[in-house]
Amino acid sequence: MRKRLVIIGAGMASGRVIEHLLAQDPDGWDITLFNAEPRGNYNRIMLSPVLSGEKTYQDIVTHDDDFYTQHNITCRFGEAVVRIDRVKKVVYSNEGGAPYDKLLIATGSAPFIIPVPGHELPGVITYRDMADTQAMIDASAKPGAKAVVIGGGLLGLEAAAGLKARGMEVAVIHLMGYLMERQLDPAAGYLLQKDLEARGITVHCKGATKAILGTDRVEAVLLDDGTVYGADQVCMAVGIRPETRIATDAALEIGRGITVNDQMVTSDPDILAVGECVEHNAQLFGLVAPFYDQAKVVAATLLGNDAAFQPVQTATKLKVTGVDLFSAGDFADSEGREDIVFRDPARGVYKRLVIEEDRLIGAVMYGDTADGSWFFGLIKDGTNISDMRDTLIFGPAYQGGTQADPLAAVAALPLDAEICGCNGICKGTIVSAIEGGAASLADIKAQTKASASCGTCTGLVEQVLASTLGDAFKMPAAQPMCGCTELTHEDVPRLIKARELKSMPAVMQELGWKTSCGCHVCRPALNFYLLADWPEDYTDDAQSRFVNERNHANIQKDGTYSVVPRMWGGMTNPRELRAIADAADKYDIPAVKVTGGQRIDLLGVQKEHLPHIWADLNAAGLVSGHAYSKGLRTVKTCVGTDFCRFGTQDSTGLGIKLEKRLWGSWTPHKVKLAVSGCPRNCAESTCKDVGIICVDSGYEIGVGGAAGMDLKETERLAKVATEQEAIDLTVAFVQLYREHAKYLDRPYKWLAKVGLEWVQAQVVEDLDNRAALIKRFDLSQTIYQRDPWADRATPQAQADFAPLADLTREAAE
Amino acid sequence: MSWLDIGALNDIPQRGARLVKTVHGCVAVFRTGDDQVFAIDDRCPHKGGPLSEGIVHGHSVTCPLHNWVFSLETGMAQGADEGAVATYPARVEGGRILLDAKRLIRGAAA
């Protein structure tokens, strides 16, 4: 006879109970699962990556419909439970009852709402579930939307970072003197605040919310000190309290949460509780690790096995990409406690250890958290650290004479050291999975759940794999350029400059290339880095160029080519047009098209005709338009003051000057420019790599626009008064991009890495540097600004582009 | 075999290719970085890309259309891709490139 188990709440804790139950007794239970949310179980701690756009809802679903169907679980999603009848042993929602033999309450917690005036306005939400996350995503869709997050704790900061990543203007209001005051100390809180501010998030500490303003909808937040922050969305993340109403109504014993014993049983022997709604030994829980321990105990209790819940210390990490912080244990100042502090201001690293009676009792780290789990292990185990006190702060690599090798540190961890905090997985579990055949991170995730939740322990799991498997496991390092090297796109150009490597064989030899002559990924990149760094010494290698650049025309899907002559600033004349028309007739061009960059494209040219058509077009004064190059493509213009009644400057003239200065230069990716004569922007300057808008008082220069795979508006580099300054800034910007960007990164991608402010410091503010950049660009142009058509419209090239032999007239035998 | 002189080694740049037209389609003749020559069909079995225009690395070529990589020695697609192109006997003698005329005239199917 199957027993009936009713569960109220489909959260992470109850989901884990179901898994344990099914694993140990697949046929013993008829399970009915109520959930107030209209969906099943998902990984709630991953809502932040969903909010920031790094993951989708589908990525964080832990149990899908198939899972529930397959295990015959009756799902009553979207039904809030209203009453428990403990005498009849029935649970009721508004849609009817469900009888139980055992009942599990997993109602979680409810967020606090500060009852200030205006807290009920539309647009004020908490950050608790998928619906809240979706509401924030929707709010961010409005251009220029503003958000205020009330609460600078873990959840509030993840919400703030996510909203900022979605493009909103974000202010965080925090009541206390520094952020995350329960997990951090003031120094680490300061570094965190600095990091967030550098991302453009406003942080207001010691801010008490007085009222939320608005008529039909939230419009602003007013603080006690009189500050007002505009807001299209307000997110309250000030704390949670256990959701106990249903248990209170059923007259179960309640403290701050539903009281449970070590077996997770409430005051009614047939009712258990798990998760954020429970109170155990007067303690509440808010992190996922103890819930998973509780879930194990709940399953054991239901199956009649012995188990007891024992809370363990937990450590905290903030799930905001690019922010490294770690805190564990107790680090309040107190009598008899001593601190060891390490600071490296240049790197933004801060570490603090709190020691009491020769034992580590607390650790806070910011900026470099690699040793976090080792410190955490010392705290949990109460290890006597007197022997290693002098070097303790430097981490496990410096203890016991071992080498400064992170693998050695992981290898030295005992088997019961916790690796995955979310899932409470210790090193021993991972090692036994590896001994059972698991050989990759994916295997470990599938078999042990380690690193399957928030993922911050992924690096550690990989180190356990590496230290257990030895050479059989290759540590994924930073993404290398390609399979020929372990070095990244950041390393290689740096080493080319530092070691003055001036040829491809020199690079491959000195940097230890694993292949004899590279591959189609690294060769074009190396060719670019070398010619950009050493224009006078390096010889361009045609065989390291993609076919388009080698043949100075775009290859099409049928192997024919398209040919685009340059039209400076989009200007042409009847003579050029006649020459293009004649060429189209002569070479039987099947299609003639005007491109998006104001040029004419001749499509469908046979390869062997290329040197001939170039010669004909050259004769009419036309040169290659480089429509195929990782270099300057076009400078799009409007007609400016010549004809337009709104035009403020000679935009066409400026476009032509820029194109004549920049053409022929090689860049990490294609580069497109535009010059508009007025803010009506007919040349579409605001989505170009460099876009200039002429206004009455001068020139507004925007950079980092895109209109391809990504859509991005330019950001304002500078506004200048004269045309010469506009040209200088553009040239300096392009040279800075040539010298620093990774091959195949368009300027907008590069800008996202280095930041507009750094670029402004280099080319706008530092006049000497600007001049030096321009000088280096012009030097390169003395060598590379050549029309490839003129170079190759020779009898030799005409022969090279033709077949080597024609055997079509040889008869078959 | 009946070896046919189709041109000088120096008619092909190192890590480059030239075409030989046959009644069955174009054959790409490659010269690798170590001055060996290989002849394979010029059409990538994926979408017909001209392999002669690909980047040559080691004894492999990458199709310029969608980056399939083929061994010049066996004609087999490398990595996760499946498929092959026909190969033809080729050698260098006294700075001249020699191909097997019978194979070229009969085509890959024979």
Side-chain angles (χ1 to χ4, degrees):
Chain A
M1 173 77 186
R2 286 153 74 96
K3 281 174 279 186
R4 294 166 301 185
L5 171 65
V6 171
I7 302 175
I8 307 174
M12 298 182 71
S14 70
R16 194 49 71 90
V17 170
I18 293 173
E19 283 177 21
H20 285 303
L21 215 50
L22 291 172
Q24 293 169 54
D25 186 12
D27 301 315
W29 300 84
D30 277 328
I31 302 174
T32 301
L33 182 58
F34 284 92
N35 200 23
E37 273 191 75
R39 53 179 70 83
N41 192 2
Y42 55 88
N43 194 342
R44 194 182 296 272
I45 58 175
M46 296 305 272
L47 284 174
S48 296
V50 173
L51 176 59
S52 65
E54 289 163 55
K55 288 192 186 296
T56 66
Y57 172 66
Q58 273 67 35
D59 292 333
I60 67 166
V61 170
T62 52
H63 300 93
D64 57 14
D65 291 346
D66 283 349
F67 173 87
Y68 296 121
T69 314
Q70 190 191 336
H71 296 289
N72 286 319
I73 295 170
T74 307
C75 296
R76 297 180 62 168
F77 296 157
E79 283 186 50
V81 168
V82 293
R83 189 163 68 88
I84 301 169
D85 186 332
R86 288 169 54 192
V87 180
K88 290 189 191 150
K89 295 174 90 168
V90 181
V91 167
Y92 293 95
S93 79
N94 283 334
E95 293 176 36
Y100 66 83
D101 297 310
K102 293 284 181 184
L103 173 64
L104 175 65
I105 302 177
T107 44
S109 63
F112 277 131
I113 305 274
I114 322 174
V116 291
H119 73 271
E120 287 177 324
L121 283 170
V124 180
I125 57 164
T126 56
Y127 186 23
R128 191 67 202 142
D129 58 24
M130 196 54 218
D132 299 331
T133 309
Q134 193 59 49
M136 288 195 265
I137 293 172
D138 293 344
S140 71
K142 182 181 143 192
K146 294 176 183 166
V148 171
V149 175
I150 302 175
L154 206 58
L155 202 59
L157 295 183
E158 288 183 7
L163 291 166
K164 184 71 201 174
R166 291 260 172 202
M168 288 181 95
E169 198 175 298
V170 181
V172 175
I173 314 298
H174 191 52
L175 190 58
M176 310 304 287
Y178 59 93
L179 297 171
M180 288 182 67
E181 78 287 348
R182 280 162 59 190
Q183 292 87 12
L184 301 182
D185 62 5
Y190 160 79
L191 285 172
L192 175 59
Q193 177 167 348
K194 225 174 83 177
D195 254 11
L196 295 172
E197 284 171 347
R199 290 166 187 243
I201 295 172
T202 304
V203 177
H204 190 130
C205 287
K206 296 182 188 163
T209 306
K210 189 172 186 183
I212 296 173
L213 311 177
T215 42
D216 302 327
R217 191 183 156 76
V218 56
E219 287 164 21
V221 174
L222 169 68
L223 307 190
D224 268 351
D225 64 10
T227 317
V228 176
Y229 289 101
D232 300 281
Q233 181 85 41
V234 173
C235 174
M236 281 210 200
V238 292
I240 52 172
R241 60 178 148 66
E243 178 54 75
T244 57
R245 280 170 298 178
I246 197 82
T248 311
D249 293 349
L252 292 173
E253 197 178 306
I254 308 285
R256 283 182 298 159
I258 303 168
T259 313
V260 294
N261 62 16
D262 287 353
Q263 281 67 47
M264 304 306 295
V265 178
T266 67
S267 54
D268 180 327
D270 290 320
I271 302 180
L272 293 82
V274 70
E276 282 181 330
C277 61
V278 308
E279 176 180 325
H280 174 265
N281 283 343
Q283 198 185 345
L284 300 176
F285 302 89
L287 294 171
V288 75
F291 302 152
Y292 287 170
D293 287 342
Q294 292 177 355
K296 254 181 241 174
V297 175
V298 168
T301 305
L302 287 171
L303 295 167
N305 301 331
D306 284 339
F309 173 63
Q310 282 180 323
V312 292
Q313 295 249 25
T314 49
T316 305
K317 284 185 178 182
L318 182 68
K319 289 186 296 302
V320 172
T321 306
V323 173
D324 265 341
L325 74 78
F326 173 90
S327 101
D330 183 354
F331 39 83
D333 283 325
S334 157
E335 190 90 356
R337 289 182 178 178
E338 294 165 281
D339 276 351
I340 301 176
V341 173
F342 172 88
R343 291 173 195 272
D344 182 347
R347 286 194 301 141
V349 171
Y350 168 80
K351 302 183 187 186
R352 174 165 164 239
L353 304 176
V354 182
I355 294 165
E356 193 173 48
E357 292 175 354
D358 285 333
R359 286 179 167 73
L360 185 64
I361 60 161
V364 191
M365 293 190 269
Y366 196 89
D368 173 5
T369 57
D371 297 332
S373 61
W374 183 71
F375 288 122
F376 185 44
L378 296 181
I379 295 172
K380 279 202 301 188
D381 300 343
T383 311
N384 185 316
I385 51 89
S386 48
D387 287 348
M388 49 182 165
R389 203 185 148 111
D390 292 349
T391 54
L392 186 65
I393 193 91
F394 301 112
Y398 289 84
Q399 311 309 324
T402 48
Q403 297 299 305
D405 172 6
L407 274 189
V410 171
L413 285 176
L415 287 178
D416 63 354
E418 185 173 83
I419 300 290
C420 171
C422 291
N423 292 289
I425 307 297
C426 62
K427 182 180 159 187
T429 311
I430 297 172
V431 169
S432 43
I434 295 169
E435 285 163 0
S440 68
L441 182 66
D443 293 347
I444 298 292
K445 274 188 191 174
Q447 291 178 30
T448 70
K449 290 206 178 303
S451 99
S453 295
C454 85
T456 45
C457 64
T458 301
L460 264 183
V461 173
E462 284 169 346
Q463 287 178 2
V464 174
L465 272 161
S467 71
T468 311
L469 289 174
D471 291 343
F473 180 76
K474 279 196 82 67
M475 279 290 282
Q479 199 64 41
M481 252 172 104
C482 65
C484 304
T485 176
E486 301 293 341
L487 297 168
T488 64
H489 271 287
E490 286 69 32
D491 296 330
V492 172
R494 181 173 54 74
L495 291 167
I496 287 176
K497 288 184 187 76
R499 299 206 200 162
E500 301 204 358
L501 306 174
K502 298 187 178 178
S503 72
M504 215 170 292
V507 172
M508 291 179 180
Q509 179 58 39
E510 294 297 321
L511 304 185
W513 241 242
K514 292 185 281 185
T515 52
S516 63
C517 63
C519 70
H520 67 275
V521 178
C522 60
R523 285 240 313 273
L526 291 180
N527 189 51
F528 168 74
Y529 292 140
L530 286 164
L531 71 80
D533 283 342
W534 317 111
E536 293 173 293
D537 301 317
Y538 177 73
T539 312
D540 182 53
D541 177 21
Q543 298 312 131
S544 293
R545 289 192 175 277
F546 183 63
V547 53
N548 289 353
E549 291 182 348
R550 198 178 334 116
N551 291 345
H552 314 295
N554 270 324
I555 196 164
Q556 304 299 335
K557 65 176 196 174
D558 61 354
T560 64
Y561 291 82
S562 74
V563 167
V564 182
R566 200 167 275 292
M567 286 177 177
W568 308 97
M571 293 294 283
T572 184
N573 57 47
R575 188 175 50 82
E576 289 180 350
L577 290 172
R578 230 172 259 126
I580 291 170
D582 288 344
D585 276 343
K586 180 170 172 187
Y587 298 98
D588 223 2
I589 305 294
V592 180
K593 184 175 186 311
V594 175
T595 71
Q598 302 176 334
R599 311 291 190 264
I600 289 175
D601 194 356
L602 301 166
L603 288 141
V605 184
Q606 300 296 326
K607 181 186 173 188
E608 38 196 301
H609 290 156
L610 287 174
H612 301 274
I613 194 170
W614 299 340
D616 288 4
L617 292 169
N618 265 174
L622 290 157
V623 298
S624 169
H626 291 81
Y628 45 81
S629 72
K630 309 271 180 271
L632 179 81
R633 294 284 178 93
T634 59
V635 182
K636 195 169 173 175
T637 60
C638 67
V639 297
T641 41
D642 277 358
F643 293 93
C644 176
R645 66 200 162 100
F646 298 113
T648 62
Q649 311 276 1
D650 178 14
S651 56
T652 319
L654 175 54
I656 292 170
K657 284 179 192 151
L658 283 169
E659 190 163 353
K660 296 223 160 172
R661 183 76 173 271
L662 296 170
W663 75 276
S665 60
W666 299 102
T667 43
H669 207 304
K670 63 184 171 187
V671 170
K672 296 179 174 180
L673 272 64
V675 184
S676 289
C678 77
R680 285 167 193 78
N681 192 15
C682 294
E684 294 162 348
S685 304
T686 46
C687 60
K688 296 293 186 284
D689 296 299
V690 181
I692 298 178
I693 300 204
C694 306
V695 291
D696 276 323
S697 54
Y699 303 83
E700 295 174 356
I701 303 168
V703 292
M709 304 274 268
D710 291 303
L711 270 177
K712 261 191 63 73
E713 191 182 345
T714 47
E715 293 177 78
R716 172 83 69 87
L717 178 70
K719 181 171 172 191
V720 295
T722 66
E723 189 180 81
Q724 189 56 49
E725 286 172 282
I727 294 171
D728 284 354
L729 276 182
T730 304
V731 172
F733 174 80
V734 170
Q735 179 65 11
L736 193 70
Y737 166 60
R738 278 163 47 90
E739 291 179 7
H740 290 275
K742 163 185 159 187
Y743 187 67
L744 296 186
D745 266 357
R746 290 285 295 269
Y748 75 98
K749 288 199 174 167
W750 166 65
L751 269 173
K753 289 176 193 167
V754 300
L756 180 66
E757 282 175 15
W758 180 80
V759 172
Q760 285 169 326
Q762 300 289 313
V763 304
V764 182
E765 286 142 34
D766 186 341
L767 294 178
D768 291 342
N769 193 42
R770 185 198 300 178
L773 285 163
I774 293 171
K775 197 172 160 202
R776 290 200 291 275
F777 181 81
D778 288 343
L779 170 70
S780 176
Q781 286 295 72
T782 61
I783 293 144
Y784 283 103
Q785 194 173 50
R786 296 174 62 91
D787 175 26
W789 290 0
D791 282 353
R792 313 232 32 200
T794 58
Q796 179 59 50
Q798 289 171 6
D800 287 346
F801 275 57
L804 185 59
D806 187 346
L807 304 180
T808 50
R809 277 160 301 174
E810 307 272 337
E813 291 172 26
Chain B
M1 301 234 192
S2 72
W3 293 105
L4 181 71
D5 182 331
I6 57 140
L9 182 64
N10 284 337
D11 288 338
I12 308 179
Q14 276 195 334
R15 298 189 195 96
R18 294 286 296 277
L19 288 182
V20 173
K21 282 190 170 179
T22 78
V23 286
H24 310 288
C26 287
V27 170
V29 184
F30 290 87
R31 174 183 176 188
T32 57
D34 54 4
D35 278 342
Q36 297 201 41
V37 294
F38 297 94
I40 66 175
D41 270 342
D42 191 39
R43 278 179 60 84
C44 173
H46 174 220
K47 302 252 175 177
L51 296 174
S52 55
E53 298 295 353
I55 288 179
V56 179
H57 43 100
H59 287 182
S60 304
V61 62
T62 299
C63 176
L65 291 196
H66 304 100
N67 291 338
W68 282 36
V69 178
F70 294 89
S71 160
L72 295 174
E73 290 164 354
T74 65
M76 301 287 289
Q78 309 289 293
D81 297 322
E82 285 183 16
V85 282
T87 61
Y88 302 88
R91 64 192 178 99
V92 182
E93 209 174 276
R96 305 296 299 179
I97 298 166
L98 306 178
L99 298 184
D100 179 1
K102 282 187 179 160
R103 279 289 312 283
L104 287 176
I105 290 163
R106 282 204 308 267

